[in-house]
C-alpha cells in the first residue's frame, strides 16, 4: 500500500510534482518535411523539447505510416534537444509526406 502524501510538506509536494512530470513526460509537436531521402541515406533533424535530458526515453507518434523501407529513430542528443532520424533502406530514393509528429520525452 502506498502511503498518502502529506501535501502540506513542501518537500513531499515537490517530490510528487516531479514524479507526475516524469510520468506524463514532456511533449512537443513538430512538422517533419524530409523531402527526398536518397537510397541508403539518413535524414536527420532536431526538435527542441524543453526539459529533455540525455538518457531519457523518446516516443514518437506520426499521423501516417512510414513508407516501406523507411525506419525512424529518435533520441535525446543534448539538453532540451531530440534528434529524429529517418533511414531509407531501399535501392531508390523515397519522399515521405510532410506531417506533424508528436514527440514525448519520458524522464
Amino acid at each position: 500500500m502506498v502511503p498518502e502524501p502529506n501535501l502540506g510538506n513542501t518537500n513531499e509536494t515537490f517530490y510528487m510534482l516531479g514524479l507526475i512530470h516524469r510520468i506524463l513526460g514532456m511533449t512537443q509537436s513538430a512538422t517533419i518535411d524530409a523531402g527526398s531521402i536518397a537510397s541508403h541515406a539518413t535524414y536527420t533533424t532536431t526538435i527542441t523539447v524543453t526539459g529533455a535530458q540525455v538518457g531519457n526515453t523518446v516516443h514518437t507518434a506520426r499521423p501516417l505510416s512510414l513508407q516501406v523501407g523507411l525506419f525512424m529513430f529518435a533520441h535525446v542528443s543534448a539538453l532540451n534537444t531530440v534528434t529524429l532520424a529517418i533511414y531509407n533502406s531501399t535501392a531508390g530514393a523515397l519522399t515521405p509526406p510532410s506531417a506533424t509528429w508528436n514527440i514525448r520525452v519520458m524522464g
Side-chain angles (χ1 to χ4, degrees):
M1 186 164 122
V2 177
E4 187 78 23
N6 176 3
L7 296 181
N9 180 325
T10 304
N11 289 336
E12 282 191 39
T13 301
F14 285 123
Y15 172 78
M16 293 302 289
L17 290 174
L19 186 59
I20 290 168
H21 181 70
R22 282 179 156 184
I23 292 169
L24 296 179
M26 290 112 346
T27 59
Q28 182 65 44
S29 295
T31 300
I32 306 299
D33 187 7
S36 180
I37 304 172
S39 170
H40 302 289
T42 303
Y43 162 83
T44 60
T45 189
T46 58
I47 301 147
T48 299
V49 181
T50 303
Q53 297 180 18
V54 174
N56 289 159
T57 301
V58 178
H59 297 275
T60 61
R62 55 196 178 276
L64 311 164
S65 295
L66 285 177
Q67 294 163 281
V68 172
L70 292 179
F71 297 91
M72 187 280 309
F73 308 91
H75 69 281
V76 179
S77 54
L79 183 64
N80 301 322
T81 305
V82 170
T83 296
L84 177 92
I86 303 173
Y87 173 70
N88 176 3
S89 66
T90 70
L94 292 175
T95 305
S98 176
T100 300
W101 294 42
N102 293 312
I103 312 297
R104 179 179 297 258
V105 177
M106 306 292 284

